[in-house]
Amino acid sequence: MTTNEPVAVSTYVPVTQTEDRYKLLIENVTDYAIFLLDETGHVATWNAGAKRIKQYDESEIIGKHFSTFYTAQAKETGYPDYELREALKVGRFEDEGWRVRKDGSVFWANVIITPIYTADKRHLGFSKITRDLSERKKAEDDLFKAYEELKESEERFRLMVEGVTDYAIFMLDPAGHVATWNQGAKNIIGYEAGEIIGRYFSRFYSREAIESGYPEYELKKAREEGRFEDEGWRYRKDGSAFWANVVITAIYNPKKELLGFSKITRDLTEKRRLEQQLFQTHEELKESEEKSRLLIASVKDYAILMLNTEGYITSWNTGAERIKGYNAKEIIGKHFSTFYPREAIERNFPQFELTKALEDGRFEDEGWRIRKDGTAFWANVTISPVYNSEHRLLGYAKVTRDLTERRRNEELTQKNQELVRINNDLDNFVYTASHDLKSPITNLEGLLSALQEDLGPDGEKFNQLLVLMQGSIGTLRKVITDLSEVTKIQPEAIGSESINLPGLLEEVKENLRTLISSSNAEVTTSELTFQNLRYSRKNLRSILYNLVSNGIKYADPQRKPQVSISTFITDAGEFALSVTDNGLGIPNNQFNKIFGMFKRVHDHVEGSGVGLYLVKRILDNSGDRIEVKSEVGKGSEFTIYFHQ
């Protein structure tokens, strides 16, 4: 009978051939040390993996006790024998631990020991498989070390926050209920944590503020703009009011979901006139490390950083980068004296600050500090020592605020006060001098008249000298009169009215009739874009009088004096009045000189040197300005710009 089914063929492999293959397989494994121990623990076989991992050649190790691979401590405690006993007892023993190579170096090993029996249950020895797990062990150790360092960093960060006593620092949930409460909040507002957590934060506000919805407005502005800052009256648990600086910042997670708000409050009742300080470096938060980090990171108006016990920087926030210019990678690990001027470093002031902070529990100072780009800023600095629960010093919390603008305003105020004082002293001097000199001049005029009468007919001999004396006395009287006019200058806003310029010019020409006639001058108007101007009539008349008279007095002897007045409106909407002459002209290097008191460019021309000073001072008082263009030998143009 014929069939297409496969025919089963039995194959016999001799036992010795199987054992040879097994032995060949074991001996060529290189990633594992696989060998046999006899019943007393001495090495009986050795494969390539054992040689690679433990470094012994077969001839060096066979016959040696397997405790050769163990540390001295393990040998002293009898641990190798314990492994064999456990393998016999349980049927298998697995362990991880340090083992020793031939060169004395250690490696982390995974070990499996299994007892071997014959078919009739007679104990022959043990199989031992060892794997080198040093790389895995190192990775695990590195991970553990990083975890421990993170825990220490978190502890230091938490202690820094919990140390704050001068600020109320707490979290609100998204609805505005108090979620955390620090020691500073208890000190300033009076509530214990158990009394206030879970309550709506409006209880710190006045009844009027609550009725107007102001607390809700604060949260709304913080959500819209990221932060909200305010100063106003707040109320403690006992009902007393205090003037508070408040900063509310919206806190988001990486998914841009609102977690709540950070709220920082400082009692500024005693320092209401000073620039408030927003954040202190010690605070107590009951929430997680994530919320604490978000709270600190959200502060941008203050540089908040941590120093170690030696003064080296260990943490850096966004505000520090904004104020001082360094990013965290550039500055962490540097000494905080980096921010100080050379003079402060030379007198060891940074170390003095740390010493005083330790002695007094806190150090506060204002002074110049240096940014990364080398520019200086005026800083308010608070340094507080930070301790752990065992009162061991961990470092220092340092809070810095840039007060350069406030400092600049204070200096400008001081300078303005000094200028006002000098101005007043000058006015008093001019007023006193002009009045005290009038009487002696009158006496001189009387004495000169008496002298002329006493000389009689002989006076003709001294006529030229008498004329010069009369001219000098007249000039002196005019200077004193001009000085008196300086003290009478008033701000333009006092008595301002709508003035017709052509009419005022005719009045000025009438007053200068003698000068115009004697010099044969022409005073005219050209293009008048506007004819009326709102100003102090007395002051505008003084301006026109001085500019027109100067244009005639400083005429070129070779030309007939011509003075022209025009008006126009600038693109910026300013009303401008221009007085142009064809006189001697002014050198460019004399432009800044001509507006000073008693300053004259051409000394051969009669005058007191007060006219242009009066014009400039009148315009300074009214907030207006004057510009001059001139060319020597051709003439000058004075243009006045009035704001209306």
Side-chain angles (χ1 to χ4, degrees), residues 189-449:
I189 305 178
Y191 292 95
E192 297 285 349
E195 297 175 302
I196 196 63
I197 288 179
R199 303 295 180 90
Y200 193 59
F201 82 112
S202 64
R203 66 173 46 219
F204 312 135
Y205 293 71
S206 66
R207 179 182 302 172
E208 294 79 7
I210 296 172
E211 290 175 352
S212 67
Y214 192 69
E216 291 77 12
Y217 168 78
E218 289 186 330
L219 297 186
K220 178 175 177 289
K221 294 298 287 183
R223 284 194 299 269
E224 292 175 352
E225 301 177 9
R227 71 187 294 276
F228 177 83
E229 183 169 0
D230 180 42
E231 284 194 9
W233 293 109
R234 299 294 184 268
Y235 292 84
R236 300 185 177 92
K237 176 184 176 182
D238 60 9
S240 61
F242 66 100
W243 188 260
N245 170 267
V246 176
V247 177
I248 299 177
T249 305
I251 305 295
Y252 297 90
N253 65 14
K255 297 179 180 179
K256 303 299 182 181
E257 297 169 337
L258 181 66
L259 298 178
F261 304 88
S262 66
K263 191 167 189 289
I264 304 174
T265 303
R266 189 178 187 189
D267 182 358
L268 296 182
T269 306
E270 300 301 324
K271 295 185 177 182
R272 189 173 169 183
R273 295 183 181 181
L274 300 176
E275 285 284 328
Q276 68 274 16
Q277 297 182 3
L278 176 65
F279 194 77
Q280 198 78 349
T281 54
H282 299 291
E283 53 188 320
E284 180 184 61
L285 290 174
K286 308 290 185 185
E287 294 295 322
S288 67
E289 171 64 14
E290 176 65 15
K291 286 188 177 180
S292 296
R293 288 186 181 277
L294 288 170
L295 172 64
I296 296 297
S298 67
V299 177
K300 297 181 180 178
D301 293 339
Y302 283 80
I304 304 174
L305 52 140
M306 188 78 178
L307 310 177
N308 67 10
T309 55
E310 309 255 322
Y312 290 89
I313 299 162
T314 59
S315 72
W316 193 252
N317 81 322
T318 303
E321 181 173 348
R322 187 184 68 82
I323 293 172
K324 302 190 179 187
Y326 297 92
N327 61 45
K329 290 183 179 179
E330 293 175 311
I331 199 63
I332 288 179
K334 301 286 184 68
H335 197 269
F336 82 110
S337 60
T338 302
F339 314 129
Y340 288 70
R342 183 178 59 190
E343 297 79 9
I345 296 173
E346 288 175 353
R347 58 190 174 90
N348 207 25
F349 189 68
Q351 186 57 46
F352 168 78
E353 290 185 328
L354 298 185
T355 302
K356 291 298 290 181
L358 280 177
E359 291 176 357
D360 302 336
R362 180 176 181 273
F363 178 82
E364 185 168 358
D365 177 47
E366 287 193 8
W368 292 110
R369 300 295 184 267
I370 309 298
R371 297 187 178 91
K372 176 185 176 182
D373 62 7
T375 58
F377 67 99
W378 188 259
N380 173 273
V381 176
T382 302
I383 299 177
S384 302
V386 178
Y387 300 92
N388 65 9
S389 58
E390 299 174 353
H391 204 69
R392 180 173 65 86
L393 180 67
L394 296 179
Y396 303 87
K398 187 171 185 289
V399 181
T400 302
R401 187 174 189 187
D402 183 356
L403 298 182
T404 307
E405 195 61 34
R406 192 199 73 181
R407 167 88 175 183
R408 185 179 295 114
N409 290 338
E410 291 174 351
E411 290 177 348
L412 288 175
T413 299
Q414 185 176 355
K415 288 179 181 178
N416 286 338
Q417 292 172 346
E418 183 67 15
L419 288 174
V420 169
R421 185 188 66 77
I422 293 172
N423 233 12
N424 291 336
D425 290 346
L426 179 60
D427 284 347
N428 291 335
F429 167 75
V430 171
Y431 179 83
T432 302
S434 63
H435 283 72
D436 289 352
L437 290 175
K438 285 181 180 179
S439 180
I441 290 173
T442 302
N443 291 338
L444 285 173
E445 290 175 334
L447 290 171
L448 187 58
S449 296

Side-chain angles (χ1 to χ4, degrees), residues 381-534:
V381 176
T382 302
I383 299 177
S384 302
V386 178
Y387 300 92
N388 65 9
S389 58
E390 299 174 353
H391 204 69
R392 180 173 65 86
L393 180 67
L394 296 179
Y396 303 87
K398 187 171 185 289
V399 181
T400 302
R401 187 174 189 187
D402 183 356
L403 298 182
T404 307
E405 195 61 34
R406 192 199 73 181
R407 167 88 175 183
R408 185 179 295 114
N409 290 338
E410 291 174 351
E411 290 177 348
L412 288 175
T413 299
Q414 185 176 355
K415 288 179 181 178
N416 286 338
Q417 292 172 346
E418 183 67 15
L419 288 174
V420 169
R421 185 188 66 77
I422 293 172
N423 233 12
N424 291 336
D425 290 346
L426 179 60
D427 284 347
N428 291 335
F429 167 75
V430 171
Y431 179 83
T432 302
S434 63
H435 283 72
D436 289 352
L437 290 175
K438 285 181 180 179
S439 180
I441 290 173
T442 302
N443 291 338
L444 285 173
E445 290 175 334
L447 290 171
L448 187 58
S449 296
L451 179 61
Q452 286 176 312
E453 291 176 2
D454 290 345
L455 289 173
D458 294 333
E460 293 295 329
K461 300 177 184 179
F462 305 100
N463 186 57
Q464 185 176 359
L465 181 60
L466 292 173
V467 169
L468 290 174
M469 291 174 67
Q470 287 175 335
S472 296
I473 292 173
T475 300
L476 182 59
R477 178 176 289 280
K478 186 176 185 310
V479 169
I480 293 171
T481 301
D482 288 343
L483 286 174
S484 299
E485 288 298 317
V486 172
T487 64
K488 297 176 184 178
I489 296 174
Q490 298 296 328
E492 180 270 339
I494 299 177
S496 62
E497 57 185 284
S498 180
I499 305 164
N500 180 262
L501 292 175
L504 184 62
L505 180 60
E506 289 303 316
E507 181 182 324
V508 169
K509 288 167 64 176
E510 180 62 26
N511 291 336
L512 292 172
R513 182 174 58 184
T514 301
L515 178 62
I516 293 173
S517 176
S518 63
S519 62
N520 196 29
E522 288 185 5
V523 180
T524 61
T525 59
S526 57
E527 182 178 353
L528 296 178
T529 302
F530 62 89
Q531 297 190 11
N532 291 287
L533 181 70
R534 190 164 191 82

Side-chain angles (χ1 to χ4, degrees), residues 586-596 599 628:
I586 306 167
N588 291 339
N589 61 359
Q590 298 291 318
F591 282 3
N592 293 329
K593 173 182 176 182
I594 60 176
F595 293 107
K599 302 295 184 181
V628 58

